[in-house]
Amino acid sequence: SIYEMFGNECCLSTGEVIKVIGFKINKLIASICENNEVGPFSAKVELPLNFPGLYKVVADKTPYVSIEEITRKVSIGPTRFGHPCFYSPEDIKLGNFTIKRGEQITFNSVEEVDGTVAVSCGVVRNNQSHSFTLPLSQEGKFYECEDDQIYTLKEIAEWKIPRCRNRVVKLSNTLHTWDCSNPLPENFGGCLVLMPVYEVQAVMKFRKDIVHILSDLDVEVKDITDCYDISSFLQPLSLEDIFERTSKEFPMVAEIMEGPSESQKPYNLLHTGKEIVIYKKYQATRVLASEIRSDSPKRHFLIPLSYKGKFKRRPREFPTAYDLEIARSEKEQLHVVATKAFDSPHKELFSVSVGDQFLVQQCQTSEVLYEGRKKVIDVLACEQILSDTYKKVLLPMYMEGGFVEVIHDKKQHQLSGICKEFRLPFNVKVSVRDLSVEEDALAAVPGLQLEEEITDSYLLVSSPSSPVESWEIPVYRLNISVHLLSKDVQAVVPPAAKTMVEEISEEQYYMVRRYENQTLHPPPRPPKKPA
C-alpha cells in the first residue's frame, strides 16, 4: 500500500515490520444535536482538533458495570485531565470504609497492590479527603459525574472520549467571531456528539521519523509482538516523557523525530533530524500578560522575570467597590475618579456622581436601615477629595459603578520590581524596550495588563554544534517527539540561557489561566428596596 503522509509518499510493503507506539485521534466527526440526542437527519461536520472554542463535557447517562470496564475505556493518568469522577447509586462497602450512594469518587491512578491491579481513588467528605483502592473486579453501576471544567477539543480528544463510546459536549465559549468558514451554524449554542477518527502512530526499521497511518487504510497486518525483538526500534519520546525522567539522567543528547508546527524563534530551529542537548528540567516563573484593547482578539504573552525592558504605569479600571478593595495596597494610596453615577439606597452610605474623586482607605462593616430593620453590611471607607478638604464617606461593597485610577507614579519599573511591590492585575506600557534581544515583542503593544504570576515547566536545550547559548522550551505547549542518542555531552555545565517573551494563542491563554487561582467575585448585592 502506498499512501500520502503529510505530502510525502509512504510505502508499506509486504513483510514490513511496524512497531505501533500509540493511537491518536486525528479528527472528530461532530453531529449537531438537539436534547443531547442524534436524530436521523442531524447535520454532521468535520472538526480538526485545533478547532477554536472551549467546551463542557456532558456526563454520559449510560453506566459502566465494573471498575475493570472503566479502566479499559476511560483515560486515567497523572495529569490534571486524567482524574475522572464517578458515583454509584448504591452504597459500596470496603472493609472499614463505606462509599455512600451518590458520593463523588475521583479515580487517581491505576496501581498494582500486592500483585493485584487496583484503582487508587478518593472521596471528599466534610472537607476531608479519604483515600482507598477499588479492585478491577468490583461490580455495580458507575455513572459519570457532572464536570464543570471547560476543555479545548484537543484535550477532549486526548482525555475525555471513552473507547467505544461517543462523547456529547456543549459549546461554552467561542474564541473567535463567526465567519462563513466556520462549519457550525451561526450563534450555535447547542450540543455536539463527537465521533473520533483515529490514526495509528508507528515507527519503522529504516525511518527516523514517526509514521502516521489512518485507521481506515486498507492494509492487513499480523501481530508478531511475542516473537520479535522490539528493542531494535527507535523509542520516540515526547517532551513530557523527557520531563518525567529523574534529574540524574540529565544532560542527554536527543534527535528530533517530529518537529513543532510553530515557526517563531527559537522553535523554528527544532526541525526533524536535528540533534539537541537537553541539559536539565526545571520550573520557572512567568508573568501572564494580555494586550489592553476593547475589541478582540487580544494578544497574550508569558514574560520571564528576567525581561530587561522597563515599564511605565497605565491607569487601571475598576467596575465595583469590591475591585478597589482587592487592588488596595499598604505601600501607596489608591486614588480613583468615578466614571459612573451610583444612587445609594441607604442614607448612611454615599451616592456617587461622575467625576467624584476618592482616596481608598479600608474595608469595614456598617449598620444600615433596611425595610425598617438594622442590617450589617460590608462597606469600603474612602475619603472624597473636595476642592480644599477631604470628606469621609462609605461606599457599599456591592456598588456597581465604575472607577479609573489616577496615576501619580511617573517612575520606570522593572518587571521583577512590579511583582514585588504591587498587586496584580496591573496595567503598564513598555517605556524602554529590552535591548538584549533583536526584536522585543512587547515594545509595539500600546498597553499591557500584567494578570498573574504562573509557574511553568521547561527544558533547557542547546545545539551540540554551537553550544555557546541555550534556550528554554516549554514542556506542555510544544509538540515535539525525540529519541535519545547514546552520545556523551561535551559540556556538562549548560551555557547561558536565553529566556524569551513567549506569545501564546488564545486557547493556550485559557488553558494557563483556568488552572491558576480562581478570580474573586464581588459579594451578591442585597435585594433592592421595595418601591
Side-chain angles (χ1 to χ4, degrees), residues 265-285:
K265 287 184 178 179
Y267 310 138
N268 58 345
L269 304 173
L270 303 171
H271 52 80
T272 302
K274 183 178 177 66
E275 285 188 20
I276 55 170
V277 179
I278 306 171
Y279 287 97
K280 62 176 180 176
K281 63 171 187 174
Y282 56 95
Q283 303 254 293
T285 301

Side-chain angles (χ1 to χ4, degrees), residues 237 241-247 249-250 252 281 484:
L237 300 168
D241 295 330
I242 298 288
F243 194 80
E244 284 170 14
R245 301 224 159 187
T246 62
S247 297
E249 295 177 68
F250 293 88
M252 56 182 74
K281 63 171 187 174
L484 299 180

Side-chain angles (χ1 to χ4, degrees), residues 18-26 163 198-203 210-215 234-236:
I18 304 164
K19 179 184 174 185
V20 175
I21 57 170
F23 299 94
K24 179 182 171 186
I25 294 177
N26 178 272
R163 289 176 187 84
Y198 289 89
E199 70 175 31
V200 176
Q201 298 164 309
V203 285
I210 295 172
V211 180
H212 301 257
I213 308 168
L214 286 178
S215 55
L234 297 176
Q235 178 61 47

Side-chain angles (χ1 to χ4, degrees), residues 42-89:
S42 298
K44 286 185 168 61
V45 293
E46 189 176 294
L47 298 179
L49 297 189
N50 61 355
F51 185 74
L54 294 169
Y55 303 81
K56 277 199 168 184
V57 169
V58 176
D60 195 341
K61 291 177 182 170
T62 308
Y64 293 83
V65 296
S66 68
I67 299 299
E68 186 272 334
E69 186 190 6
I70 292 174
T71 58
R72 207 164 19 89
K73 294 184 176 178
V74 179
S75 297
I76 302 170
T79 78
R80 54 201 170 211
F81 304 118
H83 301 313
C85 296
F86 295 86
Y87 70 89
S88 166

Side-chain angles (χ1 to χ4, degrees), residues 80-81 152 155 507-515:
R80 54 201 170 211
F81 304 118
T152 63
E155 291 167 350
E507 248 176 289
Q508 290 171 334
Y509 166 78
Y510 280 109
M511 288 170 66
V512 168
R513 278 239 58 178
R514 70 189 159 169
Y515 297 114

